[in-house]
Amino acid sequence: MILNTWVLGLLVGQVTIFIVISFSGFNALRIYLNWNYASSDERQYLLENKTYLVAALMKFAMFVHLFLFALTALALDEIAPMIIGAMCPVGVLASNAYGFPFLYIKMGLVFIFSIWLVLNHLDNKMDNYPLVRLKYLYLILFYPLVIIETILFLLFLFNLDPMVITSCCGTVFSEANSGVTGTMSSISNIIILPTLFGLAVLLLFCRFIIIKKLTNSVVGGIIEAVIWIFFFIFSILSVLSFISIYIYEMPTHRCPFCFLQQEYGFIGFPLYFFLFLATAAGFNRGILELIKWEEKLAITIANFQSKLHKVAIIAMLGFLLTGFLPFVFYYFRTGRLI
Amino acid sequence: MLTTDKVTKIYNQNLPNQVVAVKDASIKVDEGEVVVLQGPSGSGKTTLLSMIGCQTKPNRGEVIINENRVSKLPDRFLNTFKRENIGFIFQNYQLIPDINVIDNIMLPMLPSGIPYKERIVRAEALMRQFDLMKRRTFDVKNLSGGEQQRVAIARAMINQGKIILADEPTAHLDTKLTGEFLEMISDLKKHQYTVVISSHDNEIINHAVVTKIYTMKDGQVVS
């Protein structure tokens, strides 16, 4: 294990999240099992008070999770010089078997948490707690993922060994690499870019002209959520195969982490921020169609969906602009492609 | 109009200094009634009034106002409900001494986002009703006890809620001012206001304006 201030910071943050969500999960179970809004007995009042506490704690945990997500990238970058062969966070993540699984689950939890935040926000908009059981059942269901994330994180940290020789990002994301990362990097731009822009156009205009009626149904909502997932996947692929090479201005450098560094103007932070925000907002807009159980709730959801759609579209455009501007600048500066 | 159904309020629950302030209290108040909660100090009158006024929630039981289960409302909705439906007159009025009469009266309208002109119109109407126009720009600290009392009642009515709750409103008043207060309550009753007063003042309890009396003892409604 490598122990420095960054690692300690991550450790404290992750353990805090785990403790807070564990406490919330325990209370979520009590609320889910005993909730009876019609009742005015002592237990029900206690549960109603408890929901405020749990919701506040969950919002705190989720905020810390997002903060840690960004901090992890910076921390791994700081650790990289201590690991033989590592030149950026990718090398550190690849130095043992737990790094990438930890990263994937951390990314997944961002979206999972976003669903909970949306459910909580909508529940707070209503005066009769219509989503309280759903949001706490959901918390109970994703709690095992938080346990897995924490275990993977601890295994990753405790197995960081400065004596292990790892691969640098150039190797991990090289087309020659036969692993998942190599396969992702080797997909042709002829497939990725038209698909990405096709999905973007579909998401941009489907609400206005083509399938507005369809997207306002359960099936349409699910389709829209799935399209957003595909948009996210193809965005990551475009980062690996196209966006990164124009940021680095090197045809062989496809690292999705190096551009988080100062040398590249921290461009990775707005890029990923827009991508995660767009996907989370768009995905949630779609799946909210599933919970329009009652008229009053449906109206509240519809109003919120409209806001989510605007956020998703603006963030999507932000991602495309941030990601493809380096290509535009490069092309106009040199008059050629990489 | 207004009912409490077996409401119980326990302070410091499960602690050594636990106090059962109100226990299984049920009352019913119809529209336009003037109801008095009477009983000795510490009998739970103020706590029951606080629960009716959405100032505190019961540990069990329900408060229902105009068919709304207010004790079940989340806090963020409760504040709006309270503002729109209930006016309070406190024991020592709780006016702000260093601001003038009209600003004191308009104060409860601020969180509601009512435009300034509308606030002025409403406040002046009430000041005319309570003969306060001459004192419009006077700081409240410079008013007499009776005038302060009228300001307090005007402030309780400013949001146009039809329920007025008064907690020991005559505790520090002499007989003359108590009489004036009861006249104003009579006037409210004529305008179909529902008034709930907690008091152990016999002058109030025995007055003709009172339509119903609930007696409290040790946190319970005994009659």
Side-chain angles (χ1 to χ4, degrees), chain A residues 41-320:
Chain A
D41 65 8
E42 202 169 331
R43 186 171 66 179
Q44 177 60 22
Y45 278 118
L46 279 174
L47 292 178
E48 285 171 19
N49 289 338
K50 201 75 106 181
T51 59
Y52 294 110
L53 174 67
V54 175
L57 287 174
M58 285 303 293
K59 279 191 267 187
F60 166 75
M62 289 168 186
F63 173 77
V64 174
H65 180 89
L66 278 178
F67 177 70
L68 274 191
F69 196 30
L71 195 71
T72 302
L74 295 173
L76 296 185
D77 203 40
E78 288 291 321
I79 295 169
M82 300 174 205
I83 307 277
I84 301 168
M87 296 176 75
C88 75
V90 172
V92 183
L93 288 169
S95 70
N96 64 46
Y98 310 107
F100 275 106
F102 162 66
L103 178 73
Y104 296 145
I105 203 163
K106 200 160 194 64
M107 271 168 56
L109 279 174
V110 171
F111 297 118
I112 287 168
F113 285 171
S114 76
I115 297 170
W116 194 90
L117 287 175
V118 166
L119 287 177
N120 183 56
H121 175 79
L122 290 168
D123 194 42
N124 287 345
K125 289 263 174 198
M126 307 294 292
D127 62 4
N128 59 346
Y129 307 93
L131 299 173
V132 86
R133 293 192 84 221
L134 176 70
K135 75 180 179 187
Y136 288 121
L137 173 66
Y138 179 63
L139 198 164
I140 295 160
L141 291 177
F142 74 67
Y143 177 66
L145 287 176
V146 178
I147 298 175
I148 294 169
E149 186 210 15
T150 308
I151 291 170
L152 282 172
F153 173 74
L154 294 175
L155 286 171
F156 169 63
L157 273 196
F158 286 113
N159 284 287
L160 276 180
D161 185 353
M163 302 310 289
V164 169
I165 300 171
T166 183
S167 305
C168 75
C169 53
T171 313
V172 174
F173 290 99
S174 128
E175 292 174 21
N177 185 345
S178 57
V180 178
T181 49
T183 310
M184 285 163 75
S185 305
S186 64
I187 301 172
S188 168
N189 282 331
I190 297 168
I191 298 169
I192 294 170
L193 294 182
T195 311
L196 177 71
F197 281 99
L199 289 170
V201 169
L202 186 65
L203 290 167
L204 195 59
F205 293 111
C206 72
R207 295 278 302 137
F208 302 108
I209 43 174
I210 309 167
I211 48 170
K212 189 171 180 178
K213 276 187 184 168
L214 180 65
T215 52
N216 284 336
S217 65
V218 172
V219 177
I222 293 169
I223 291 172
E224 191 177 355
V226 171
I227 295 173
W228 275 106
I229 292 172
F230 276 105
F231 176 79
F232 181 78
I233 293 168
F234 276 88
S235 296
I236 294 291
L237 291 175
S238 73
V239 167
L240 294 175
S241 68
F242 187 82
I243 293 172
S244 58
I245 58 175
Y246 282 96
I247 293 174
Y248 304 127
E249 299 188 356
M250 281 176 72
T252 53
H253 197 190
R254 295 160 183 269
C255 179
F257 282 92
C258 285
F259 54 57
L260 292 166
Q261 294 166 353
Q262 193 178 4
E263 295 96 291
Y264 303 101
F266 300 110
I267 191 172
F269 285 102
L271 187 76
Y272 288 133
F273 171 77
F274 284 132
L275 178 59
F276 277 81
L277 181 64
T279 310
F283 178 79
N284 275 295
R285 203 220 82 86
I287 59 164
L288 282 179
E289 289 295 337
L290 295 168
I291 57 164
K292 288 181 174 174
W293 297 325
E294 52 184 80
E295 198 183 340
K296 207 172 147 194
L297 179 63
I299 294 166
T300 307
I301 289 176
N303 290 336
F304 190 60
Q305 278 180 312
S306 158
K307 287 179 190 162
L308 280 178
H309 185 250
K310 282 176 196 149
V311 170
I313 294 300
I314 291 167
M316 181 181 77
L317 294 174
F319 166 76
L320 293 174

Side-chain angles (χ1 to χ4, degrees), chain A residues 38-40 42 45 48 124, chain B residues 13 60-61 69 71-72 76:
Chain A
S39 164
S40 52
E42 202 169 331
Y45 278 118
E48 285 171 19
N124 287 345
Chain B
Q13 196 171 13
R60 58 175 180 266
R69 301 167 75 195
S71 49
K72 302 286 288 178
R76 55 197 169 276

Side-chain angles (χ1 to χ4, degrees), chain A residues 323-334:
Chain A
F324 286 88
L325 266 185
F327 156 71
V328 174
F329 286 142
Y330 182 86
Y331 184 75
F332 281 107
R333 205 173 67 238
T334 64

